[in-house]
Amino acid sequence: KKMERLVHELLALNQLESGGRQLQMEWFNLMDLVRGILSASSILIEQNGIHVQIEAEEPVNIWADEFFTEQVVSNFISNAIHYASAEKQIVVRCAPTEDGNIRFSVFNTGKAIPEEDLPHIWEKFYKGDKARTREYGGSGIGLSVVKAVMESFNKPYGVKNYDNGVEFWCEFDH
């Protein structure tokens, strides 16, 4: 399963970087995609005792490539599941921005990302906490896929540390 995910992510990244696949822009409900990913992850969420909260006024229709948007959403949610600690909470939010976009974010309680790692987390194969990442089994390319997708969409993305956790976010056309 890990190898399959790695190959899938590498293929998606390669397609974006080489221009091997044209973006298939279309309108779709982001929350349908989010619910599908959460449903597919429900056993892992339950096993880890994580509480997931969704904050969104539905439907959340966006203009994007659904395949590549799934890569972004899946990476954010997967990372949140694996790094949630302390209260073990994940909050998924979709909210309109002042400039008419939709901001999608995934917050998880737990340790903040060390400041010295923040500039590097979007790089291919970068792993900040080697011991924790080895335990989780991450490939180190998920966030580089996010970067490539969001840059191909010409939309902002980022990460923010809080006292009680970390939030990854990105924006989509609405």
Side-chain angles (χ1 to χ4, degrees):
K1 198 124 180 126
K2 286 180 188 178
M3 184 61 75
E4 183 180 328
R5 181 175 166 96
L6 175 62
V7 168
H8 190 68
E9 286 181 335
L10 282 170
L11 286 172
L13 185 58
N14 186 52
Q15 286 176 334
L16 279 170
E17 290 179 341
S18 70
R21 180 182 181 273
Q22 295 295 323
L23 294 177
Q24 304 293 316
M25 303 301 279
E26 61 184 317
W27 287 105
F28 62 94
N29 183 352
L30 178 60
M31 294 314 297
D32 288 344
L33 188 71
V34 169
R35 278 193 301 278
I37 292 167
L38 287 170
S39 177
S41 304
S42 63
I43 293 172
L44 194 55
I45 290 168
E46 190 178 314
Q47 285 175 340
N48 287 303
I50 297 170
H51 173 72
V52 177
Q53 178 180 336
I54 297 174
E55 297 176 2
E57 291 187 25
E58 297 205 42
V60 179
N61 293 315
I62 63 169
W63 177 254
D65 181 300
E66 191 169 1
F67 172 80
F68 286 122
T69 300
E70 183 176 357
Q71 302 298 308
V72 172
V73 172
S74 181
N75 274 301
F76 282 179
I77 290 174
S78 176
N79 284 349
I81 291 168
H82 290 291
Y83 291 109
S85 60
E87 296 88 20
K88 292 196 172 191
Q89 294 182 351
I90 294 174
V91 181
V92 177
R93 288 186 189 93
C94 285
T97 64
E98 288 181 16
D99 58 356
N101 288 329
I102 288 291
R103 178 170 280 210
F104 169 75
S105 66
V106 178
F107 169 84
N108 66 271
T109 56
K111 292 181 185 175
I113 297 170
E115 290 297 317
E116 64 271 14
D117 290 337
L118 285 175
H120 304 288
I121 62 171
W122 308 102
E123 297 170 8
K124 254 187 276 191
F125 305 114
Y126 183 80
K127 296 182 179 186
D129 183 343
K130 311 297 188 261
R132 248 182 108 187
T133 311
R134 193 169 45 248
E135 172 187 304
Y136 153 34
S139 66
I141 64 165
L143 292 176
S144 64
V145 170
V146 169
K147 175 184 176 185
V149 169
M150 296 315 299
E151 288 179 357
S152 75
F153 289 174
N154 294 314
K155 289 293 174 191
Y157 60 95
V159 61
K160 183 173 181 181
N161 278 326
Y162 291 89
D163 290 340
N164 64 336
V166 177
E167 177 184 53
F168 282 90
W169 63 270
C170 61
E171 293 183 10
F172 297 102
D173 282 326
H174 177 60

mmCIF file of all heavy atoms in Angstrom, residues 46-88:
data_model
loop_
_atom_site.group_PDB
_atom_site.id
_atom_site.type_symbol
_atom_site.label_atom_id
_atom_site.label_comp_id
_atom_site.label_asym_id
_atom_site.label_seq_id
_atom_site.Cartn_x
_atom_site.Cartn_y
_atom_site.Cartn_z
ATOM 1 N N GLU A 46 -10.120 6.212 13.427
ATOM 2 C CA GLU A 46 -10.698 5.556 14.603
ATOM 3 C C GLU A 46 -9.625 4.851 15.441
ATOM 4 O O GLU A 46 -9.601 4.975 16.665
ATOM 5 C CB GLU A 46 -11.757 4.547 14.153
ATOM 6 C CG GLU A 46 -12.583 3.977 15.286
ATOM 7 C CD GLU A 46 -13.649 3.023 14.775
ATOM 8 O OE1 GLU A 46 -14.336 3.369 13.792
ATOM 9 O OE2 GLU A 46 -13.786 1.928 15.371
ATOM 10 N N GLN A 47 -8.720 4.129 14.799
ATOM 11 C CA GLN A 47 -7.660 3.421 15.512
ATOM 12 C C GLN A 47 -6.785 4.365 16.322
ATOM 13 O O GLN A 47 -6.279 4.002 17.376
ATOM 14 C CB GLN A 47 -6.773 2.640 14.538
ATOM 15 C CG GLN A 47 -7.383 1.387 13.999
ATOM 16 C CD GLN A 47 -6.502 0.716 12.953
ATOM 17 O OE1 GLN A 47 -5.624 1.337 12.347
ATOM 18 N NE2 GLN A 47 -6.753 -0.565 12.718
ATOM 19 N N ASN A 48 -6.586 5.580 15.808
ATOM 20 C CA ASN A 48 -5.745 6.552 16.496
ATOM 21 C C ASN A 48 -6.514 7.437 17.463
ATOM 22 O O ASN A 48 -5.928 8.340 18.068
ATOM 23 C CB ASN A 48 -5.003 7.413 15.464
ATOM 24 C CG ASN A 48 -3.904 6.628 14.784
ATOM 25 O OD1 ASN A 48 -3.014 6.100 15.433
ATOM 26 N ND2 ASN A 48 -3.974 6.530 13.464
ATOM 27 N N GLY A 49 -7.814 7.197 17.607
ATOM 28 C CA GLY A 49 -8.622 7.961 18.552
ATOM 29 C C GLY A 49 -8.705 9.442 18.221
ATOM 30 O O GLY A 49 -8.724 10.295 19.109
ATOM 31 N N ILE A 50 -8.774 9.751 16.930
ATOM 32 C CA ILE A 50 -8.792 11.152 16.483
ATOM 33 C C ILE A 50 -10.230 11.614 16.287
ATOM 34 O O ILE A 50 -11.063 10.891 15.732
ATOM 35 C CB ILE A 50 -8.005 11.300 15.160
ATOM 36 C CG1 ILE A 50 -6.532 10.927 15.382
ATOM 37 C CG2 ILE A 50 -8.128 12.711 14.606
ATOM 38 C CD1 ILE A 50 -5.728 10.800 14.105
ATOM 39 N N HIS A 51 -10.499 12.833 16.719
ATOM 40 C CA HIS A 51 -11.805 13.464 16.498
ATOM 41 C C HIS A 51 -11.655 14.429 15.326
ATOM 42 O O HIS A 51 -10.787 15.295 15.342
ATOM 43 C CB HIS A 51 -12.267 14.215 17.751
ATOM 44 C CG HIS A 51 -13.511 15.012 17.518
ATOM 45 N ND1 HIS A 51 -14.743 14.432 17.360
ATOM 46 C CD2 HIS A 51 -13.705 16.347 17.379
ATOM 47 C CE1 HIS A 51 -15.644 15.373 17.140
ATOM 48 N NE2 HIS A 51 -15.031 16.553 17.148
ATOM 49 N N VAL A 52 -12.503 14.256 14.300
ATOM 50 C CA VAL A 52 -12.463 15.126 13.124
ATOM 51 C C VAL A 52 -13.684 16.035 13.141
ATOM 52 O O VAL A 52 -14.807 15.581 13.333
ATOM 53 C CB VAL A 52 -12.442 14.308 11.811
ATOM 54 C CG1 VAL A 52 -12.477 15.228 10.594
ATOM 55 C CG2 VAL A 52 -11.221 13.400 11.757
ATOM 56 N N GLN A 53 -13.425 17.308 12.935
ATOM 57 C CA GLN A 53 -14.489 18.313 12.883
ATOM 58 C C GLN A 53 -14.421 19.000 11.515
ATOM 59 O O GLN A 53 -13.339 19.346 11.048
ATOM 60 C CB GLN A 53 -14.267 19.331 14.000
ATOM 61 C CG GLN A 53 -15.264 20.446 14.049
ATOM 62 C CD GLN A 53 -14.946 21.405 15.199
ATOM 63 O OE1 GLN A 53 -14.302 21.045 16.182
ATOM 64 N NE2 GLN A 53 -15.403 22.631 15.045
ATOM 65 N N ILE A 54 -15.574 19.181 10.885
ATOM 66 C CA ILE A 54 -15.630 19.858 9.594
ATOM 67 C C ILE A 54 -16.376 21.168 9.775
ATOM 68 O O ILE A 54 -17.475 21.190 10.333
ATOM 69 C CB ILE A 54 -16.331 18.980 8.531
ATOM 70 C CG1 ILE A 54 -15.527 17.701 8.295
ATOM 71 C CG2 ILE A 54 -16.519 19.757 7.233
ATOM 72 C CD1 ILE A 54 -16.193 16.705 7.374
ATOM 73 N N GLU A 55 -15.758 22.246 9.295
ATOM 74 C CA GLU A 55 -16.374 23.570 9.345
ATOM 75 C C GLU A 55 -16.485 24.096 7.920
ATOM 76 O O GLU A 55 -15.504 24.575 7.359
ATOM 77 C CB GLU A 55 -15.545 24.523 10.205
ATOM 78 C CG GLU A 55 -15.457 24.108 11.657
ATOM 79 C CD GLU A 55 -14.557 25.014 12.484
ATOM 80 O OE1 GLU A 55 -14.021 26.005 11.946
ATOM 81 O OE2 GLU A 55 -14.395 24.715 13.686
ATOM 82 N N ALA A 56 -17.675 23.954 7.345
ATOM 83 C CA ALA A 56 -17.896 24.413 5.973
ATOM 84 C C ALA A 56 -19.386 24.584 5.735
ATOM 85 O O ALA A 56 -20.195 23.813 6.254
ATOM 86 C CB ALA A 56 -17.331 23.408 4.981
ATOM 87 N N GLU A 57 -19.739 25.596 4.971
ATOM 88 C CA GLU A 57 -21.109 25.765 4.522
ATOM 89 C C GLU A 57 -21.205 25.115 3.159
ATOM 90 O O GLU A 57 -20.543 25.545 2.218
ATOM 91 C CB GLU A 57 -21.478 27.243 4.463
ATOM 92 C CG GLU A 57 -21.579 27.873 5.837
ATOM 93 C CD GLU A 57 -22.116 29.291 5.782
ATOM 94 O OE1 GLU A 57 -22.837 29.630 4.821
ATOM 95 O OE2 GLU A 57 -21.797 30.038 6.710
ATOM 96 N N GLU A 58 -21.989 24.058 3.077
ATOM 97 C CA GLU A 58 -22.039 23.285 1.832
ATOM 98 C C GLU A 58 -23.116 23.794 0.900
ATOM 99 O O GLU A 58 -24.089 24.361 1.357
ATOM 100 C CB GLU A 58 -22.274 21.822 2.180
ATOM 101 C CG GLU A 58 -21.114 21.267 2.985
ATOM 102 C CD GLU A 58 -20.968 19.785 2.845
ATOM 103 O OE1 GLU A 58 -21.112 19.273 1.714
ATOM 104 O OE2 GLU A 58 -20.718 19.143 3.857
ATOM 105 N N PRO A 59 -22.972 23.563 -0.399
ATOM 106 C CA PRO A 59 -21.812 22.957 -1.051
ATOM 107 C C PRO A 59 -20.669 23.961 -1.192
ATOM 108 O O PRO A 59 -20.908 25.168 -1.149
ATOM 109 C CB PRO A 59 -22.354 22.576 -2.427
ATOM 110 C CG PRO A 59 -23.420 23.583 -2.707
ATOM 111 C CD PRO A 59 -24.024 23.917 -1.366
ATOM 112 N N VAL A 60 -19.457 23.451 -1.357
ATOM 113 C CA VAL A 60 -18.288 24.304 -1.580
ATOM 114 C C VAL A 60 -17.798 23.997 -2.999
ATOM 115 O O VAL A 60 -16.968 23.124 -3.205
ATOM 116 C CB VAL A 60 -17.176 24.026 -0.541
ATOM 117 C CG1 VAL A 60 -15.967 24.906 -0.815
ATOM 118 C CG2 VAL A 60 -17.690 24.231 0.873
ATOM 119 N N ASN A 61 -18.398 24.686 -3.949
ATOM 120 C CA ASN A 61 -18.047 24.452 -5.352
ATOM 121 C C ASN A 61 -16.801 25.240 -5.711
ATOM 122 O O ASN A 61 -16.721 26.437 -5.444
ATOM 123 C CB ASN A 61 -19.216 24.835 -6.256
ATOM 124 C CG ASN A 61 -20.397 23.912 -6.044
ATOM 125 O OD1 ASN A 61 -20.227 22.700 -5.976
ATOM 126 N ND2 ASN A 61 -21.579 24.473 -5.920
ATOM 127 N N ILE A 62 -15.831 24.532 -6.300
ATOM 128 C CA ILE A 62 -14.583 25.172 -6.719
ATOM 129 C C ILE A 62 -14.314 24.857 -8.187
ATOM 130 O O ILE A 62 -14.859 23.892 -8.741
ATOM 131 C CB ILE A 62 -13.380 24.744 -5.848
ATOM 132 C CG1 ILE A 62 -13.098 23.245 -5.971
ATOM 133 C CG2 ILE A 62 -13.603 25.149 -4.388
ATOM 134 C CD1 ILE A 62 -11.781 22.794 -5.357
ATOM 135 N N TRP A 63 -13.452 25.676 -8.802
ATOM 136 C CA TRP A 63 -13.017 25.492 -10.186
ATOM 137 C C TRP A 63 -11.565 25.032 -10.124
ATOM 138 O O TRP A 63 -10.674 25.798 -9.775
ATOM 139 C CB TRP A 63 -13.148 26.807 -10.938
ATOM 140 C CG TRP A 63 -12.681 26.784 -12.356
ATOM 141 C CD1 TRP A 63 -11.532 27.340 -12.823
ATOM 142 C CD2 TRP A 63 -13.340 26.211 -13.481
ATOM 143 N NE1 TRP A 63 -11.438 27.136 -14.182
ATOM 144 C CE2 TRP A 63 -12.538 26.448 -14.615
ATOM 145 C CE3 TRP A 63 -14.534 25.506 -13.646
ATOM 146 C CZ2 TRP A 63 -12.884 26.006 -15.887
ATOM 147 C CZ3 TRP A 63 -14.884 25.070 -14.920
ATOM 148 C CH2 TRP A 63 -14.067 25.324 -16.016
ATOM 149 N N ALA A 64 -11.346 23.749 -10.406
ATOM 150 C CA ALA A 64 -9.996 23.188 -10.296
ATOM 151 C C ALA A 64 -9.954 21.856 -11.037
ATOM 152 O O ALA A 64 -10.971 21.377 -11.536
ATOM 153 C CB ALA A 64 -9.632 22.985 -8.820
ATOM 154 N N ASP A 65 -8.785 21.264 -11.077
ATOM 155 C CA ASP A 65 -8.613 19.917 -11.605
ATOM 156 C C ASP A 65 -8.870 18.958 -10.440
ATOM 157 O O ASP A 65 -8.148 18.977 -9.439
ATOM 158 C CB ASP A 65 -7.184 19.753 -12.140
ATOM 159 C CG ASP A 65 -6.928 18.379 -12.720
ATOM 160 O OD1 ASP A 65 -7.064 17.377 -11.978
ATOM 161 O OD2 ASP A 65 -6.571 18.296 -13.904
ATOM 162 N N GLU A 66 -9.915 18.142 -10.562
ATOM 163 C CA GLU A 66 -10.320 17.296 -9.432
ATOM 164 C C GLU A 66 -9.247 16.262 -9.061
ATOM 165 O O GLU A 66 -9.009 16.011 -7.876
ATOM 166 C CB GLU A 66 -11.650 16.597 -9.734
ATOM 167 C CG GLU A 66 -12.247 15.927 -8.518
ATOM 168 C CD GLU A 66 -13.677 15.463 -8.715
ATOM 169 O OE1 GLU A 66 -14.235 15.648 -9.815
ATOM 170 O OE2 GLU A 66 -14.228 14.907 -7.752
ATOM 171 N N PHE A 67 -8.596 15.673 -10.050
ATOM 172 C CA PHE A 67 -7.561 14.678 -9.768
ATOM 173 C C PHE A 67 -6.436 15.284 -8.927
ATOM 174 O O PHE A 67 -6.027 14.723 -7.909
ATOM 175 C CB PHE A 67 -6.990 14.100 -11.069
ATOM 176 C CG PHE A 67 -5.797 13.215 -10.859
ATOM 177 C CD1 PHE A 67 -5.948 11.899 -10.450
ATOM 178 C CD2 PHE A 67 -4.504 13.704 -11.051
ATOM 179 C CE1 PHE A 67 -4.843 11.081 -10.233
ATOM 180 C CE2 PHE A 67 -3.400 12.891 -10.848
ATOM 181 C CZ PHE A 67 -3.565 11.581 -10.439
ATOM 182 N N PHE A 68 -5.930 16.438 -9.357
ATOM 183 C CA PHE A 68 -4.824 17.056 -8.628
ATOM 184 C C PHE A 68 -5.278 17.673 -7.304
ATOM 185 O O PHE A 68 -4.522 17.686 -6.337
ATOM 186 C CB PHE A 68 -4.093 18.077 -9.504
ATOM 187 C CG PHE A 68 -3.244 17.433 -10.562
ATOM 188 C CD1 PHE A 68 -3.441 17.712 -11.899
ATOM 189 C CD2 PHE A 68 -2.255 16.515 -10.225
ATOM 190 C CE1 PHE A 68 -2.670 17.109 -12.881
ATOM 191 C CE2 PHE A 68 -1.479 15.895 -11.194
ATOM 192 C CZ PHE A 68 -1.680 16.193 -12.532
ATOM 193 N N THR A 69 -6.512 18.153 -7.250
ATOM 194 C CA THR A 69 -7.050 18.658 -5.977
ATOM 195 C C THR A 69 -7.108 17.521 -4.964
ATOM 196 O O THR A 69 -6.804 17.708 -3.788
ATOM 197 C CB THR A 69 -8.444 19.284 -6.186
ATOM 198 O OG1 THR A 69 -8.330 20.361 -7.111
ATOM 199 C CG2 THR A 69 -9.016 19.792 -4.874
ATOM 200 N N GLU A 70 -7.463 16.329 -5.421
ATOM 201 C CA GLU A 70 -7.493 15.165 -4.528
ATOM 202 C C GLU A 70 -6.100 14.885 -3.953
ATOM 203 O O GLU A 70 -5.969 14.499 -2.790
ATOM 204 C CB GLU A 70 -8.018 13.940 -5.269
ATOM 205 C CG GLU A 70 -8.127 12.725 -4.375
ATOM 206 C CD GLU A 70 -8.735 11.520 -5.069
ATOM 207 O OE1 GLU A 70 -9.138 11.618 -6.242
ATOM 208 O OE2 GLU A 70 -8.796 10.458 -4.418
ATOM 209 N N GLN A 71 -5.054 15.103 -4.742
ATOM 210 C CA GLN A 71 -3.693 14.906 -4.245
ATOM 211 C C GLN A 71 -3.411 15.855 -3.082
ATOM 212 O O GLN A 71 -2.830 15.465 -2.067
ATOM 213 C CB GLN A 71 -2.661 15.155 -5.360
ATOM 214 C CG GLN A 71 -2.812 14.288 -6.576
ATOM 215 C CD GLN A 71 -2.627 12.823 -6.262
ATOM 216 O OE1 GLN A 71 -1.640 12.431 -5.664
ATOM 217 N NE2 GLN A 71 -3.587 12.019 -6.646
ATOM 218 N N VAL A 72 -3.822 17.108 -3.230
ATOM 219 C CA VAL A 72 -3.602 18.119 -2.193
ATOM 220 C C VAL A 72 -4.377 17.765 -0.922
ATOM 221 O O VAL A 72 -3.809 17.695 0.171
ATOM 222 C CB VAL A 72 -4.024 19.522 -2.705
ATOM 223 C CG1 VAL A 72 -3.994 20.548 -1.570
ATOM 224 C CG2 VAL A 72 -3.122 19.962 -3.848
ATOM 225 N N VAL A 73 -5.678 17.535 -1.081
ATOM 226 C CA VAL A 73 -6.543 17.248 0.067
ATOM 227 C C VAL A 73 -6.089 15.975 0.770
ATOM 228 O O VAL A 73 -5.994 15.925 2.003
ATOM 229 C CB VAL A 73 -8.022 17.142 -0.382
ATOM 230 C CG1 VAL A 73 -8.910 16.661 0.754
ATOM 231 C CG2 VAL A 73 -8.507 18.484 -0.921
ATOM 232 N N SER A 74 -5.770 14.963 0.002
ATOM 233 C CA SER A 74 -5.323 13.689 0.567
ATOM 234 C C SER A 74 -4.024 13.849 1.360
ATOM 235 O O SER A 74 -3.881 13.294 2.455
ATOM 236 C CB SER A 74 -5.137 12.675 -0.564
ATOM 237 O OG SER A 74 -4.721 11.442 -0.049
ATOM 238 N N ASN A 75 -3.078 14.610 0.837
ATOM 239 C CA ASN A 75 -1.817 14.828 1.553
ATOM 240 C C ASN A 75 -2.035 15.592 2.853
ATOM 241 O O ASN A 75 -1.478 15.235 3.890
ATOM 242 C CB ASN A 75 -0.810 15.556 0.663
ATOM 243 C CG ASN A 75 -0.035 14.600 -0.208
ATOM 244 O OD1 ASN A 75 0.633 13.713 0.289
ATOM 245 N ND2 ASN A 75 -0.160 14.752 -1.512
ATOM 246 N N PHE A 76 -2.837 16.664 2.806
ATOM 247 C CA PHE A 76 -3.102 17.432 4.021
ATOM 248 C C PHE A 76 -3.772 16.560 5.087
ATOM 249 O O PHE A 76 -3.383 16.582 6.251
ATOM 250 C CB PHE A 76 -3.987 18.644 3.717
ATOM 251 C CG PHE A 76 -3.278 19.817 3.083
ATOM 252 C CD1 PHE A 76 -3.993 20.955 2.751
ATOM 253 C CD2 PHE A 76 -1.919 19.807 2.808
ATOM 254 C CE1 PHE A 76 -3.371 22.061 2.180
ATOM 255 C CE2 PHE A 76 -1.280 20.902 2.232
ATOM 256 C CZ PHE A 76 -2.014 22.031 1.911
ATOM 257 N N ILE A 77 -4.770 15.791 4.685
ATOM 258 C CA ILE A 77 -5.497 14.954 5.653
ATOM 259 C C ILE A 77 -4.625 13.820 6.167
ATOM 260 O O ILE A 77 -4.586 13.545 7.367
ATOM 261 C CB ILE A 77 -6.820 14.443 5.049
ATOM 262 C CG1 ILE A 77 -7.796 15.622 4.907
ATOM 263 C CG2 ILE A 77 -7.423 13.322 5.901
ATOM 264 C CD1 ILE A 77 -9.102 15.302 4.187
ATOM 265 N N SER A 78 -3.885 13.174 5.281
ATOM 266 C CA SER A 78 -2.996 12.081 5.687
ATOM 267 C C SER A 78 -1.948 12.565 6.694
ATOM 268 O O SER A 78 -1.707 11.917 7.723
ATOM 269 C CB SER A 78 -2.317 11.490 4.456
ATOM 270 O OG SER A 78 -1.398 10.501 4.826
ATOM 271 N N ASN A 79 -1.333 13.706 6.411
ATOM 272 C CA ASN A 79 -0.348 14.255 7.349
ATOM 273 C C ASN A 79 -0.997 14.581 8.694
ATOM 274 O O ASN A 79 -0.418 14.309 9.749
ATOM 275 C CB ASN A 79 0.308 15.507 6.765
ATOM 276 C CG ASN A 79 1.335 15.193 5.698
ATOM 277 O OD1 ASN A 79 1.735 14.056 5.511
ATOM 278 N ND2 ASN A 79 1.745 16.207 4.973
ATOM 279 N N ALA A 80 -2.193 15.166 8.659
ATOM 280 C CA ALA A 80 -2.884 15.518 9.903
ATOM 281 C C ALA A 80 -3.169 14.268 10.734
ATOM 282 O O ALA A 80 -2.990 14.274 11.961
ATOM 283 C CB ALA A 80 -4.177 16.266 9.600
ATOM 284 N N ILE A 81 -3.588 13.201 10.090
ATOM 285 C CA ILE A 81 -3.873 11.946 10.806
ATOM 286 C C ILE A 81 -2.605 11.422 11.465
ATOM 287 O O ILE A 81 -2.607 11.027 12.634
ATOM 288 C CB ILE A 81 -4.470 10.889 9.849
ATOM 289 C CG1 ILE A 81 -5.879 11.300 9.420
ATOM 290 C CG2 ILE A 81 -4.472 9.502 10.494
ATOM 291 C CD1 ILE A 81 -6.440 10.475 8.261
ATOM 292 N N HIS A 82 -1.516 11.418 10.729
ATOM 293 C CA HIS A 82 -0.281 10.830 11.252
ATOM 294 C C HIS A 82 0.423 11.687 12.293
ATOM 295 O O HIS A 82 1.174 11.152 13.108
ATOM 296 C CB HIS A 82 0.665 10.479 10.105
ATOM 297 C CG HIS A 82 0.163 9.335 9.288
ATOM 298 N ND1 HIS A 82 0.100 8.046 9.761
ATOM 299 C CD2 HIS A 82 -0.350 9.290 8.037
ATOM 300 C CE1 HIS A 82 -0.411 7.255 8.848
ATOM 301 N NE2 HIS A 82 -0.695 7.984 7.789
ATOM 302 N N TYR A 83 0.179 12.984 12.282
ATOM 303 C CA TYR A 83 0.862 13.854 13.233
ATOM 304 C C TYR A 83 -0.030 14.384 14.339
ATOM 305 O O TYR A 83 0.448 15.087 15.238
ATOM 306 C CB TYR A 83 1.555 15.017 12.504
ATOM 307 C CG TYR A 83 2.732 14.535 11.689
ATOM 308 C CD1 TYR A 83 2.689 14.511 10.307
ATOM 309 C CD2 TYR A 83 3.879 14.069 12.320
ATOM 310 C CE1 TYR A 83 3.760 14.050 9.562
ATOM 311 C CE2 TYR A 83 4.960 13.602 11.588
ATOM 312 C CZ TYR A 83 4.896 13.594 10.210
ATOM 313 O OH TYR A 83 5.961 13.130 9.483
ATOM 314 N N ALA A 84 -1.311 14.052 14.320
ATOM 315 C CA ALA A 84 -2.217 14.504 15.392
ATOM 316 C C ALA A 84 -1.788 13.871 16.711
ATOM 317 O O ALA A 84 -1.573 12.665 16.802
ATOM 318 C CB ALA A 84 -3.659 14.138 15.071
ATOM 319 N N SER A 85 -1.635 14.707 17.719
ATOM 320 C CA SER A 85 -1.299 14.215 19.050
ATOM 321 C C SER A 85 -1.976 15.122 20.068
ATOM 322 O O SER A 85 -2.833 15.924 19.706
ATOM 323 C CB SER A 85 0.222 14.159 19.242
ATOM 324 O OG SER A 85 0.791 15.435 19.093
ATOM 325 N N ALA A 86 -1.602 14.992 21.318
ATOM 326 C CA ALA A 86 -2.223 15.751 22.415
ATOM 327 C C ALA A 86 -3.725 15.464 22.415
ATOM 328 O O ALA A 86 -4.110 14.333 22.670
ATOM 329 C CB ALA A 86 -1.894 17.231 22.322
ATOM 330 N N GLU A 87 -4.567 16.459 22.081
ATOM 331 C CA GLU A 87 -6.024 16.253 22.089
ATOM 332 C C GLU A 87 -6.494 15.379 20.928
ATOM 333 O O GLU A 87 -7.661 14.992 20.871
ATOM 334 C CB GLU A 87 -6.766 17.597 22.034
ATOM 335 C CG GLU A 87 -6.546 18.478 23.236
ATOM 336 C CD GLU A 87 -5.309 19.363 23.064
ATOM 337 O OE1 GLU A 87 -4.855 19.582 21.920
ATOM 338 O OE2 GLU A 87 -4.788 19.832 24.083
ATOM 339 N N LYS A 88 -5.610 15.121 19.976
ATOM 340 C CA LYS A 88 -5.914 14.303 18.797
ATOM 341 C C LYS A 88 -7.154 14.803 18.070
ATOM 342 O O LYS A 88 -8.128 14.094 17.894
ATOM 343 C CB LYS A 88 -6.050 12.829 19.168
ATOM 344 C CG LYS A 88 -4.742 12.209 19.600
ATOM 345 C CD LYS A 88 -4.809 10.716 19.589
ATOM 346 C CE LYS A 88 -3.427 10.152 19.846
ATOM 347 N NZ LYS A 88 -3.370 8.736 19.589
#
